[in-house]
Amino acid sequence: MPKLTQVQVDAFPLHRFEPILGAQRAARFKAIARAASALLEGRAVVNVNSTAVGGGVAEMLQTLLSYLRGAGIDARWTVIAGDPEFFSVTKRIHNGIHGSPGDDGPLGAAEHEIYRRTIEANAAELEASVGKGDLVLLHDPQTAGLVEPLKRAGAIVVWRSHIGIDRPNRWSERAWEFVRPYVSDADAYVFSRESYAPPWLDRSRLWIIPPSIDPLAPKNARMTRATAAEVLAFVGILGAPATGSSPPVRFKRRDGSSGRLARRADVVQAAPPSPDVPLVVQVSRWDRLKDMQGVMESFTRHVARGTDAHLVLVGPNVRGVTDDPEGAQVLEECIDRWHGLSPGERRRVHLACIPTEDVDENAVIINAIQRHATVVTQKSLAEGFGLTVTEAMWKHRPVVASRVGGIGDQIDHDRNGVLVDDPTDLGVFGSAVARLVDDPRGARRMGAKARIRARDFFLGDRHLAQYAELATSLIERDGRNPRHPRSRNEEL
Ligand code: UDP
């Protein structure tokens, strides 16, 4: 089995936030960061998840940890290794916690055995680098089994679930029963919404911390319309101006250095749309619960005929996301469905797989497609918290999304976005999209309010302040000295 991977995390100075947050909010943030840094002196903050790319957890770790490092905190990111059997069990748990049967397979003794085998191999390696008093944040069910071995190694262990369902059903209950013995000893639990925490969880150890985005990351940084169109033309999502060879498209990387787009997207389409047609866009992993097929149906039946819009369904290149074994299959199903459309419908629907080899390049392409979109959709059947929703809102986009899970907290219906109560109602979903395509002024007004909502509630400073509060409470309770006292700036 492959070894653990240490993901490289840069250190970003906190003052980068100032122009966005304003002086007062930025000063408050810096004061919190300074206090957290003093508190965590001599302790590592070790984050563990199961993929370095693809999906919201990887996205957030990349950004939040950079600011922790910028504040002088020894923040690290480790990715566990697993074989396909392990990831098919954890995907079943993931689907279950979202209330879905997934592949319908069992979650019994044999699956515990598969799960434990991989966890033990990872724990053996991790224990060597985690010490007494270190603060460990384990993310999602893939890492739940590490609670116990890392507690034994003397770490303070937090288990964070980024997923959940508001109303439990038999699938979610079955999945939680699987996870329960692994997580019951955690020092704290973090959920995005209170309703996601299963009833047996000790409420005195429960923290509610919704996710956030980084406004300065290549995924969300400012980009002109012209640059967005150039990026999309280069990767093959938009038609290029008929000028022959296009100049290289440059972008700024997270570490400030200059990058150049090198890879094209794999796009299933009749021909790229012209840059001036309205685009309806959904960006998601190829996961059934994101219902990309449903978006396609809803678009072809209820949007395509009455408007000149095109639909672009955007997901990662399925080779890049190792912890998501269903990705290739779901993409295949979408492609089959696309082949089943009439020729006229096929001209209006595009399926794009974005390269994931270079995280910054991937982010810039997603940034461009979200900015170029006339309407962004998130027609999930279940959702912990849709980072893609906040990303689009930050970019002034009107979003039409299902009222499921955290999305209900992200959007105020009809004010800064549209929520559709029944995610399976293709007609209501499609009409909401068509209305916004037909009403550019209304869409602009909604987009402007969306930006304010994202700025006020879903940026990284709020998230990090909540983490600091959690760390303070745990360390005060722990009372032990860290294993490696060091001077503040030694590691940075
Ligand atoms: N994403 C990406 N490339 C893709 C598809 C998704 O970078 O091809 C990113 C997307 O921009 C967002 C994250 O993956 O930052 C998805 O997070 P979300 O919370 O929406 O859903 P999750 O994948 O965690 O269920």
Side-chain angles (χ1 to χ4, degrees), residues 8 29 66 85 87 104 145 154 157 173 198 202 245 275 283-284 295 324 349 363 392 409 441-442 455:
Q8 159 81 30
F29 175 48
S66 307
E85 246 189 329
F87 286 126
D104 240 344
V157 181
E173 279 166 5
D202 174 4
S245 66
V283 175
S284 293
V295 183
D324 192 354
V349 177
D409 299 333
R441 283 181 58 193
R455 185 199 64 198

Side-chain angles (χ1 to χ4, degrees), residues 54-57 59 219 283-285 290 314-316 354 362 366 370 378 383 385-388 391:
V57 180
E59 178 74 21
K219 168 83 49 82
V283 175
S284 293
R285 284 177 300 103
K290 307 286 183 181
V314 182
I354 310 300
N362 179 280
I366 301 290
Q370 288 171 329
Q378 194 58 55
E383 191 68 71
F385 179 100
L387 275 190
T388 47
E391 287 162 4

Side-chain angles (χ1 to χ4, degrees), residues 259-336:
R260 202 171 118 168
L261 286 190
R263 298 172 186 83
R264 273 24 189 218
D266 288 336
V267 195
V268 176
Q269 59 186 349
S274 123
D276 44 358
V277 303
L279 290 193
V280 176
V281 170
Q282 178 159 309
V283 175
S284 293
R285 284 177 300 103
W286 302 101
D287 180 321
R288 263 186 211 98
L289 295 176
K290 307 286 183 181
D291 201 19
M292 294 287 228
Q293 271 206 55
V295 183
M296 199 186 318
E297 299 290 340
S298 164
F299 179 84
T300 49
R301 289 195 217 157
H302 303 286
V303 185
R305 249 172 253 141
T307 72
D308 57 351
H310 283 230
L311 171 68
V312 190
L313 297 174
V314 182
N317 193 314
V318 286
R319 287 183 302 275
V321 187
T322 47
D323 72 341
D324 192 354
E326 280 173 18
Q329 201 185 339
V330 172
L331 171 62
E332 222 30 67
E333 288 163 10
C334 286
I335 296 174
D336 280 355

Side-chain angles (χ1 to χ4, degrees), residues 140-384:
D140 281 335
Q142 295 92 326
T143 64
L146 293 166
V147 170
E148 201 264 331
L150 294 176
K151 287 243 351 168
R152 238 187 305 118
I156 302 171
V157 181
V158 178
W159 184 67
R160 179 163 187 172
S161 172
H162 295 267
I163 52 179
I165 184 171
D166 285 329
R167 262 168 255 108
N169 65 14
R170 68 188 172 111
W171 302 112
S172 66
E173 279 166 5
R174 185 183 76 141
W176 277 123
E177 276 313 306
F178 188 97
V179 172
R180 182 174 182 171
Y182 298 108
V183 299
S184 50
D185 281 345
D187 293 296
Y189 307 101
V190 178
F191 282 76
S192 303
R193 312 185 90 192
E194 182 147 12
S195 52
Y196 290 171
W200 42 263
L201 205 92
D202 174 4
R203 268 20 198 197
S204 70
R205 285 181 275 162
L206 174 64
W207 293 69
I208 304 303
I209 305 183
S212 62
I213 61 162
D214 178 4
L216 299 165
K219 168 83 49 82
N220 301 310
R222 290 171 78 127
M223 182 184 278
T224 63
R225 259 197 92 73
T227 305
E230 267 175 42
V231 169
L232 297 176
F234 178 88
V235 300
I237 291 178
L238 280 188
T243 52
S245 66
S246 49
V249 184
R250 300 202 162 274
F251 62 88
K252 201 159 137 197
R253 292 188 173 281
R254 289 178 52 74
D255 65 6
S257 66
S258 166
R260 202 171 118 168
L261 286 190
R263 298 172 186 83
R264 273 24 189 218
D266 288 336
V267 195
V268 176
Q269 59 186 349
S274 123
D276 44 358
V277 303
L279 290 193
V280 176
V281 170
Q282 178 159 309
V283 175
S284 293
R285 284 177 300 103
W286 302 101
D287 180 321
R288 263 186 211 98
L289 295 176
K290 307 286 183 181
D291 201 19
M292 294 287 228
Q293 271 206 55
V295 183
M296 199 186 318
E297 299 290 340
S298 164
F299 179 84
T300 49
R301 289 195 217 157
H302 303 286
V303 185
R305 249 172 253 141
T307 72
D308 57 351
H310 283 230
L311 171 68
V312 190
L313 297 174
V314 182
N317 193 314
V318 286
R319 287 183 302 275
V321 187
T322 47
D323 72 341
D324 192 354
E326 280 173 18
Q329 201 185 339
V330 172
L331 171 62
E332 222 30 67
E333 288 163 10
C334 286
I335 296 174
D336 280 355
R337 184 67 203 100
W338 183 86
H339 282 293
L341 299 175
S342 71
E345 288 169 339
R346 275 204 297 273
R347 272 196 293 278
R348 307 277 293 279
V349 177
H350 313 257
L351 308 180
C353 292
I354 310 300
T356 53
E357 290 87 342
D358 176 335
V359 181
D360 291 336
E361 182 185 58
N362 179 280
V364 166
I365 300 168
I366 301 290
N367 192 351
I369 190 78
Q370 288 171 329
R371 285 186 190 274
H372 190 84
T374 299
V375 177
V376 169
T377 69
Q378 194 58 55
K379 200 190 148 319
S380 304
L381 304 174
E383 191 68 71

Side-chain angles (χ1 to χ4, degrees), residues 44-61:
V45 177
V46 182
N47 283 263
V48 187
N49 81 325
S50 60
T51 179
V53 286
V57 180
E59 178 74 21
M60 269 191 300
L61 287 179

Side-chain angles (χ1 to χ4, degrees), residues 40 43-49 74 76-78 80 126-127 129-139 143-144 146-160 186-190 467 470-471 474-475 480 483:
L40 289 163
R43 298 172 198 265
V45 177
V46 182
N47 283 263
V48 187
N49 81 325
D74 178 12
R76 306 175 192 171
W77 178 4
T78 301
I80 60 166
L126 249 179
E127 277 164 19
S129 60
V130 170
K132 284 201 174 39
D134 282 351
L135 182 59
V136 177
L137 285 112
L138 302 173
H139 298 268
T143 64
L146 293 166
V147 170
E148 201 264 331
L150 294 176
K151 287 243 351 168
R152 238 187 305 118
I156 302 171
V157 181
V158 178
W159 184 67
R160 179 163 187 172
D187 293 296
Y189 307 101
V190 178
Y467 263 164
L470 167 63
L474 290 174
I475 286 171
R480 280 174 301 178
R483 62 162 175 165

